[in-house]
Amino acid sequence: MPEQRLESEVAVVGAGPAGIIVALELARAGHRVLLIESGGERFDPQRQELGETVGTDPHHDAMSLATRRQIGGASNLWGGRCVPFDPIDFEDRELVGEARWPVGYDDVAPYMERAAEWCRCGEPVFNTAEVPELAGRTLVPGWKDGDVRASDLERWSLPTRFGTVYREVLHRTPGLRLATGLTCTEVVPAEGGSEHGGRKVDHLVARHADGSRVEVRAQRYVLAAGGLESTRLLFASRRRDPDGLGNHSGHLGRWYMAHVEVRVGRVRFDTPPEATLYSHERDREGVYVRRRFSFDPELQRTEWLPNSVLWLVNEEVGNAAHGSGVLSFVYLMLASPLGGRFVAEGIRQHHLQALEPPRLRDHFRNVLRDLPGTAAFAFRFAYERFLRRGRKVPGFFVRSPANTYPLCYHGEHLPHRQSRVEPTDELDALGMPRLRTHLHFSDLDVAAVRRAHELLDRSLREQGLGRVEFLYDDVEGAVREQLFGGYHQSGTTRMAADPADGVLDANLAVHGFDDLFVASSSAFPTSSQANSTFMLTAFAVRLADHLSADLEGQGARPAVEVAA
Ligand SMILES: Cc1cc2nc3c(=O)[nH]c(=O)nc-3n(C[C@H](O)[C@H](O)[C@H](O)COP(=O)(O)OP(=O)(O)OC[C@H]3O[C@@H](n4cnc5c(N)ncnc54)[C@H](O)[C@@H]3O)c2cc1C
């Protein structure tokens, strides 16, 4: 017997970016919404522990670094980089095997404007040609876009901590009820089908921290618990589906994708160093943007290249041989006991990794050599990043007098069936089976890194602007050592037109269900070059519109017609 019953028109599980957007969009459209969040206003390590996985996966970040059980979810940790998927991501490509999007780019693009408003990253334009104040300059003088482009932009949000920025609105929007400290542990399907022949959810089971049981009933249910947790909830719902709900064709938990993010090359420009646009710029609204190298879609098709980008980065802060007072200062701050206050722990650990053991004396020497410059940087950065209200500078960049910069490769992680998560027999404190991850990267993922660098090198040499060098003799070995993921969780409840090919349909409903939806990047059949959140927010807005129209009975219009 449940100790408590809750009822609403729509029940949304998880108050991360996706859940907050779906809930607020629906409540503003006049619907009654119950938003169930496992965490609370503040971080609680005991809550966080509920999401820990089992075993060791050499390619996976600890869940404590990759997720956050708190209102706002992982947006409490995120950097705020906002990038859309590209039209080519939605094309049928042999490169991605049998993964096929059941929607096109044009189905989602209309939602990007509202996604950008939610993320607070300015206008949804992502190329300098559409931003007049940036269009007149190029990354290096004389650069011309061709096979390789240097005009695509990433935008940066505040960074928007969804739980903080929308806290007030969550509490005062009529029709919306936020229930915190309540963890959904099972989706219970009804026996028999609906009048349309589809299956229906009977109720959700949720639990307070003390284990007491709450029964949640609604007309529509949206799982927005994050990529792995939404997948886990479906696996845990095995009362009538022993292999997990939505696992009708064996795809639940499969096709787990992250991104291929590695640093194995360096660019040397032959242009005047002071003219290189190596850092952030701001558009006319003051939003931070940054240029990146990307690859023309036709080149991607002919080269069989996964969608990928390259951008300029600082020298490794931990390697004092860089000789920069600013970089050494940053290293010393991050390595200090206060380091965890400045950036998310995962990012801090990433910065502290150095090839050589850190030599503190050398770092101090770098700082002392350039004390005035370092002090000026420290005051400016402290103000722009931590003290200034509203929009914060997303990072810092140090100009290279030699005009040479390491490159970060950020590429599509190709879908592989053996890259997966699976439920185990180990239960968390509320009785949910914990997951084990097997994040797998293939030789194609690795080979793409070399090719992308070679193509940028070719373009620079043809234009007489510079060249690219590899940092390692064994490039592929270095790539393999750096392959790591968990922040961008995609693929494990992938969408597919045919139930035989995936878990969700084109409207994010679990195949076969009329009333159960998943709002998560786990729905993405491919991973793009783009970090996942911006596209996820566009899908969340689209889902809210679909549900609203559906609930209002306007002919129960699907956002996309789903084949019967
Ligand atoms: C360090 C870091 C940096 C990142 N930087 C970027 C970036 O720059 N750009 C980008 O695009 N992305 C970035 N990301 C990824 C981004 O944070 C996620 O894509 C985004 O937060 C996903 O939103 P979500 O709502 O799907 O899930 P989440 O943010 O994971 O939110 C899920 C919510 O559901 C709750 N929940 C979980 N299980 C249950 C349950 N059973 N019952 C009730 N509630 C539950 C959780 O407590 C949480 O609040 C970063 C992530 C990390 C960790």
Side-chain angles (χ1 to χ4, degrees):
M1 277 292 286
E3 280 95 22
Q4 193 187 0
R5 281 208 168 90
L6 295 172
E7 182 274 331
S8 189
E9 199 180 355
V10 184
V12 179
V13 177
I20 287 177
I21 292 172
V22 172
L24 281 173
E25 287 271 354
L26 282 169
R28 285 173 179 174
H31 300 284
R32 281 187 309 121
V33 183
L34 172 66
L35 178 56
I36 302 166
E37 167 56 42
S38 177
E41 298 268 351
R42 289 172 186 280
F43 178 67
D44 173 353
Q46 279 183 328
R47 296 271 127 174
Q48 183 70 35
E49 205 281 329
L50 292 171
E52 281 308 328
T53 47
V54 168
T56 43
D57 178 342
H59 295 299
H60 207 282
D61 292 289
M63 297 313 287
S64 56
L65 303 180
T67 59
R68 188 78 156 197
R69 285 257 172 158
Q70 186 184 348
I71 302 175
S75 76
N76 290 294
L77 306 172
W78 81 323
R81 179 181 273 130
C82 292
V83 194
F85 279 31
D86 302 302
I88 193 168
D89 294 314
F90 295 83
E91 285 180 12
D92 291 355
R93 291 173 297 157
E94 272 181 59
L95 183 67
V96 296
E98 57 185 59
R100 295 287 175 270
W101 285 80
V103 293
Y105 178 81
D106 292 342
D107 292 314
V108 207
Y111 299 92
M112 288 192 199
E113 193 156 345
R114 275 152 74 198
E117 282 169 24
W118 283 109
C119 292
R120 304 206 176 178
C121 65
E123 274 184 80
V125 287
F126 295 90
N127 190 281
T128 54
E130 296 169 82
V131 187
E133 60 274 29
L134 305 180
R137 301 174 70 192
T138 47
L139 198 145
V140 287
W143 173 272
K144 292 217 169 18
D145 277 1
D147 279 351
V148 184
R149 303 196 298 235
S151 56
D152 285 339
L153 293 174
E154 58 194 27
R155 295 188 153 265
W156 290 79
S157 83
L158 296 177
T160 307
R161 312 268 175 247
F162 279 69
T164 311
V165 169
Y166 298 111
R167 177 185 289 136
E168 283 297 305
V169 195
L170 283 170
H171 288 294
R172 64 176 160 73
T173 301
L176 174 61
R177 175 171 175 195
L178 171 64
T180 55
L182 198 55
T183 306
C184 181
T185 54
E186 189 185 357
V187 180
V188 182
E191 283 182 69
S194 71
E195 64 270 28
H196 307 112
R199 295 178 72 191
K200 280 187 107 55
V201 173
D202 190 71
H203 65 273
L204 305 180
V205 178
R207 293 190 186 272
H208 291 290
D210 62 6
S212 57
R213 186 170 178 274
V214 180
E215 203 172 275
V216 177
R217 289 181 190 272
Q219 293 174 38
R220 301 288 182 278
Y221 301 85
V222 179
L223 309 185
L228 292 200
E229 287 303 314
S230 299
T231 308
R232 180 181 174 204
L233 191 46
L234 291 172
F235 271 127
S237 304
R238 46 192 175 189
R239 208 181 283 212
R240 301 210 160 82
D241 304 75
D243 295 329
L245 220 160
N247 205 7
H248 42 267
S249 49
H251 292 283
L252 184 64
R254 295 269 172 192
W255 314 107
Y256 183 24
M257 292 169 288
H259 278 107
V260 178
E261 182 173 352
V262 293
R263 293 168 191 206
V264 295
R266 137 181 326 274
V267 61
R268 287 187 190 278
F269 296 119
D270 295 334
T271 47
E274 63 285 358
T276 303
L277 298 178
Y278 64 99
S279 184
H280 296 109
E281 297 162 80
R282 298 183 86 171
D283 71 6
R284 63 177 171 276
E285 292 177 274
V287 176
Y288 287 96
V289 298
R290 207 160 175 239
R291 299 169 198 245
R292 39 196 13 225
F293 293 110
S294 56
F295 299 93
D296 184 79
E298 196 44 44
L299 180 74
Q300 290 186 44
R301 285 183 206 105
T302 50
E303 286 277 338
W304 262 56
L305 194 66
N307 196 4
S308 55
V309 290
L310 291 155
W311 62 74
L312 311 186
V313 288
N314 291 316
E315 303 291 341
E316 294 285 349
V317 292
N319 187 354
H322 50 56
S324 157
V326 169
L327 294 180
S328 281
F329 173 76
V330 170
Y331 175 79
L332 292 169
M333 292 310 290
L334 291 177
S336 78
L338 291 176
R341 291 176 180 252
F342 301 131
V343 284
E345 182 56 21
I347 297 177
R348 185 177 87 95
Q349 287 182 13
H350 174 80
H351 280 304
L352 293 184
Q353 288 165 4
L355 297 176
E356 309 285 332
R359 308 222 322 233
L360 290 185
R361 226 181 33 196
D362 295 348
H363 282 296
F364 280 113
R365 192 177 322 123
N366 285 342
V367 171
L368 288 173
R369 265 202 216 125
D370 181 22
L371 205 49
T374 306
F377 161 81
F379 284 117
R380 195 180 57 249
F381 188 71
Y383 171 71
E384 292 180 344
R385 179 70 195 177
F386 302 110
L387 301 177
R388 185 166 68 194
R389 293 178 75 82
R391 201 164 288 285
K392 317 282 190 209
V393 68
F396 67 94
F397 293 98
V398 176
R399 181 183 294 288
S400 158
N403 217 5
T404 168
Y405 295 88
L407 289 163
C408 177
Y409 171 95
H410 201 267
E412 177 173 20
H413 176 194
L414 297 171
H416 308 288
R417 195 177 158 78
Q418 64 271 44
S419 188
R420 68 186 200 282
V421 300
E422 58 175 355
T424 65
D425 294 336
E426 195 174 309
L427 306 181
D428 70 13
L430 297 178
M432 274 182 91
R434 293 191 189 276
L435 291 179
R436 187 192 305 277
T437 67
H438 306 268
L439 195 56
H440 170 84
F441 295 86
S442 74
D443 291 347
L444 272 179
D445 291 315
V446 174
V449 178
R450 177 187 284 277
R451 194 67 195 125
H453 285 79
E454 287 171 351
L455 289 165
L456 174 59
D457 180 65
R458 185 177 81 185
S459 186
L460 284 165
R461 286 177 195 267
E462 281 173 1
Q463 299 187 65
L465 299 174
R467 62 194 181 282
V468 171
E469 294 161 2
F470 285 111
L471 300 172
Y472 304 90
D473 293 336
D474 177 9
V475 175
E476 283 69 23
V479 170
R480 281 199 182 85
E481 274 188 21
Q482 295 178 37
L483 289 172
F484 230 61
Y487 291 1
H488 309 145
Q489 303 159 5
S490 305
T492 49
T493 67
R494 76 176 183 184
M495 304 160 87
D498 188 333
D501 296 329
V503 177
L504 307 178
D505 71 15
N507 294 317
L508 300 177
V510 174
H511 272 294
F513 276 79
D514 295 337
D515 57 358
L516 178 61
F517 298 81
V518 177
S520 166
S521 51
S522 60
F524 300 164
T526 61
S527 59
S528 180
Q529 46 75 25
N531 308 44
S532 38
T533 312
F534 182 73
M535 215 54 205
L536 165 60
T537 57
F539 270 98
V541 174
R542 175 176 171 271
L543 173 61
D545 275 11
H546 167 61
L547 288 175
S548 184
D550 184 13
L551 286 162
E552 282 159 22
Q554 297 169 359
R557 282 184 290 132
V560 163
E561 289 296 339
V562 179

